[in-house]
Each structure stands twice: as structure tokens, then as C-alpha cells.
Amino acid sequence: MSEFDPLVIYGGSFDPIHNGHLRIARRARDAFRADVVFVPAYRPRWKSPAAGFEDRVEMIRRALKSEGNPSFSLSLIESERPNEVSYTVDTLLEMKKRYPRRELILLIGSDEANSFPRWKDSEKIVRLAKVVYVPREGVEVDPEVVSHYEIERLDGANPGPVSSSKLRGLSLLDCPASVIDYIVDGKLYFMADLESLLSERRLAHSISVASLAYSIALHNKLEHPERAYQAGLLHDVGKNAGEVTSRDIVMGNYPEYKDYPSYALHQWVGAVYAREKFHVEDQGVVDAIACHCTGKPHMTSLAKIVYAADKIEPGRGYDSRRLIRACLRDYYKGFLAVLRENREFLSAHSLGAENPLTEACFELYLGKEKKEK
Ligand SMILES: [Fe+2]
Ligand SMILES: [Fe+2]
């Protein structure tokens, strides 16, 4: 891109940045043959971000790095006026100074389009930049506002169902892996909820399962490997619910399993917590949590990966490197190897499959293989 190409100003709180933002930015770049500059708000006037400016900036940096797109960049212009509320008009004036030859395009959301007349110096803004809104499902834009300010619509932009608030609550984890790592390492957003439900040791195990499940999904080229990360983080959230509460929850939600042994109950409690406490709508993720302990016949690829990762994550205290390598190479063969070891372990300790689900799982996947060494 040259210094004469248009420049899309993509402002927002980016709390945090997610794949929806990146999809919109790609669409804007293509639609206007423009560079896109992400401009995180230092102190947004309409809300107070859950994460600090430095954290939000670092996540954008990481997202842009993994995106690897030379048309995308980051501007910290709004932090250069740290004592003031961030006003778009000031940002545009500054951008105009820095890039006098470039056409400025200001990208806003459809809800922002409706409040546009109340923005500081809105008439001035439209003289400085072409204003373009990103349509969002369920948000009607006011035709009078759009025509008065000549606000254009960015067609073909599909951010998907993700939003920053869904990400903050772990309801949906649709963002680059480097951003997920930053959130987990920095204990941002949903980490406080996980900490309240899991012991320190159990949380470390869950992070390890999440990260391994993600790697297995990625190596096996599964679509949306971040779903494996999400299921891994959540798989044991039912662990500390206590026997009485757990039985109640299983009775109410999965009555067919109400008489299962205590150790297995947490998988269904976890599935219910994922849905109710974390608002996970992805049934595939919920189902993977609901069978991670016992296994079952006809598991999805995601469920197989979470099941295997739970048994072989490096913190488990035995040498699982061979099984990890097997799963990374071919998750299905790896899953079978994990199942086989599990069955051998049970038989070496003179234990049976212990419950009908595990028995049926062994039977379906290992079927004709010999049951003893
Ligand atoms: Fe578990
Ligand atoms: Fe676990």
C-alpha cells in the first residue's frame, strides 16, 4: 500500500480483540483497498474496559502479529492524550495531520451509527473522514441519521457470533491463540470465574488440558481448534460441586446417569455449569465436557480430543510423551491408544470398566481387540 491509499481508522475498546474484529478489518481492507489501523480507545467515554490499556494493546499486537497482514497496524494515538476522554474528532484531526494525503475512513458499529448525532463534533467528523458502519444482526440503523451524515454501509462484513463480552465470559473463545494465552497467563476476564470454581492445582491441570487439546486439534487441522481450548478450560469446572449438589444437578439435567459413581458426576455438572454459569451455547463443547471422564460410544472428534488430553496432559505425573505424540500425529489413533491404556490400567488393577458408558465406549472403539495384555 502507498501513502496515497485510503486509511481505515478502526477504533474501539478492543476489550479484548477477537476474530470478529479481524474479519471486519479484512473486509474493510478489501472493500476500500485500504490499510487498516486499529486505534484502541485509551479511556472510552461510553464504558470502562475490564482490562487496562496496556493489556488491550498487547492483545492487539499479538493478534496482528499472528494475522501477519502488512496492511494492518496499531496506533496508540489515543494514549497520547492520557488526561482526556478519547474523542474521535481529535483522533481524526491528528491522523489528518500525520497522513495529509490519505483519505480517512472511519469504521464504526451500527449501534454507534445511531448515536452518531450525539458524538462530539459529528458534523466535523464527516468532513474529515468517510464514515462507514458495520451492520450487525438485530441492530437497525436509523435511515435519517445515515442519510444526513452520508454514512455508508460496509457490505459483506461478517464478524460471526463472537463479541468481546462473550469472550470475557468464556461463552465463546473465537480469538487468536496468542490472545487466549495472554488472557490465561495474565489472569484476565474469565480467569477469575475459573479460579473461584477450581483449586490452584485443578486450574493448572485445566490450562494444561486446554493447551494440549488445542495443539492436538490444530495439528490435526480441525476447524476452530479454539473450541478444544475452551472445552479444556471448562472440563473440570464441576469438580468441586460436592456430592449432594452434583447428584441434584445430574438428576435435574441428565437423569439417566443419576446413579453413576461419584467420580463421574463432575462431567455432567461441568456441562451444566458451562451452559449456565459461562453461557456456552456451543453444544459440541458442552457435549465434550459431558463425556470427558467416562467416554461414551459415538464421540465427536472434539470429545475424543478432550478425553485424550485430560488423560495425558504433561502434568499428570507419568510419562505420557508417546501418547501425546500419537495424538498430535493422528488424534483418532491417539485416542484409541489412550483408551487402550486406560482399559489395560483398569484390568491390571482388577477393575472393570466400572460403568456402562465406559464399557460401551471400550466395546465400540476397541471392540475386537484383546482385553488383556
Ligand atoms: Fe474430569
Ligand atoms: Fe481433568
Side-chain angles (χ1 to χ4, degrees), residues 235-236 239 266 292-293 310:
H235 81 284
D236 272 345
K239 201 78 180 183
H266 77 282
H292 81 264
C293 174
D310 182 35

Side-chain angles (χ1 to χ4, degrees), residues 24-305:
I24 287 170
R26 279 181 224 128
R27 178 64 202 134
R29 175 204 60 197
D30 295 345
F32 301 109
R33 302 177 142 275
D35 290 330
V36 179
V37 57
F38 290 74
V39 186
Y42 183 74
R43 196 182 292 173
R45 66 190 182 288
W46 63 95
K47 55 186 155 187
S48 81
F53 185 71
E54 291 304 324
D55 285 328
R56 290 182 285 124
V57 163
E58 185 53 33
M59 289 187 276
I60 297 173
R61 268 203 191 101
R62 287 172 173 233
L64 297 191
K65 192 171 174 203
S66 56
E67 178 80 6
N69 190 325
S71 306
F72 291 178
S73 63
L74 165 69
S75 166
L76 303 184
I77 194 169
E78 300 220 342
S79 69
E80 291 163 15
R81 306 186 302 268
N83 298 320
E84 298 167 29
V85 172
S86 312
Y87 287 113
T88 303
V89 67
D90 299 325
T91 300
L92 290 175
L93 282 168
E94 185 57 36
M95 287 288 188
K96 204 73 201 167
K97 249 191 251 167
R98 290 186 195 182
Y99 307 105
R101 295 177 177 165
R102 304 187 79 158
E103 180 192 7
L104 300 181
I105 298 170
L106 177 69
L107 201 55
I108 62 175
S110 40
D111 35 3
E112 291 172 307
N114 286 334
S115 64
F116 192 73
R118 295 191 296 279
W119 286 29
K120 184 171 179 261
D121 296 331
S122 49
E123 299 285 351
K124 196 166 173 186
I125 290 176
V126 293
R127 286 197 299 274
L128 288 162
K130 167 153 76 182
V131 181
V132 174
Y133 77 92
V134 182
R136 203 173 75 195
E137 219 176 299
V139 182
E140 291 292 324
V141 292
D142 182 339
E144 275 181 38
V145 172
V146 164
S147 91
H148 177 81
Y149 292 97
E150 296 181 1
I151 298 177
E152 284 183 25
R153 174 191 158 103
L154 178 64
D155 283 318
N158 182 10
V162 66
S163 68
S164 290
S165 75
K166 284 185 180 178
L167 224 144
R168 289 196 297 271
L170 192 54
S171 143
L172 199 58
L173 206 51
D174 190 12
C175 68
S178 54
V179 174
I180 301 177
D181 286 342
Y182 190 84
I183 293 171
V184 170
D185 293 347
K187 301 190 172 180
L188 299 174
Y189 307 131
F190 52 75
M191 290 304 285
D193 290 331
L194 290 178
E195 277 178 329
S196 75
L197 286 166
L198 296 165
S199 68
E200 205 180 320
R201 223 179 105 239
R202 184 66 52 186
L203 180 57
H205 159 71
S206 301
I207 294 170
S208 184
V209 171
S211 150
L212 177 58
Y214 177 86
S215 297
I216 296 172
L218 191 71
H219 275 73
N220 283 272
K221 300 191 168 51
L222 259 73
E223 266 185 67
H224 302 297
E226 64 281 352
R227 294 171 73 224
Y229 202 110
Q230 184 189 20
L233 278 182
L234 289 166
H235 81 284
D236 272 345
V237 287
K239 201 78 180 183
N240 293 334
E243 174 86 17
V244 177
T245 309
S246 299
R247 290 243 174 248
D248 268 4
I249 291 173
V250 175
M251 183 69 171
N253 294 274
Y254 295 91
E256 63 275 36
Y257 303 125
K258 67 180 173 32
D259 297 321
Y260 264 61
S262 306
Y263 71 84
L265 300 180
H266 77 282
Q267 65 180 16
W268 296 295
V269 176
V272 171
Y273 281 3
R275 253 191 346 247
E276 293 180 359
K277 289 185 192 288
F278 292 87
H279 310 290
V280 175
E281 290 163 16
D282 183 338
Q283 196 55 41
V285 169
V286 173
D287 289 345
I289 297 168
C291 66
H292 81 264
C293 174
T294 61
K296 66 171 192 177
H298 309 298
M299 291 161 76
T300 61
S301 46
L302 179 67
K304 291 189 187 91
I305 288 172

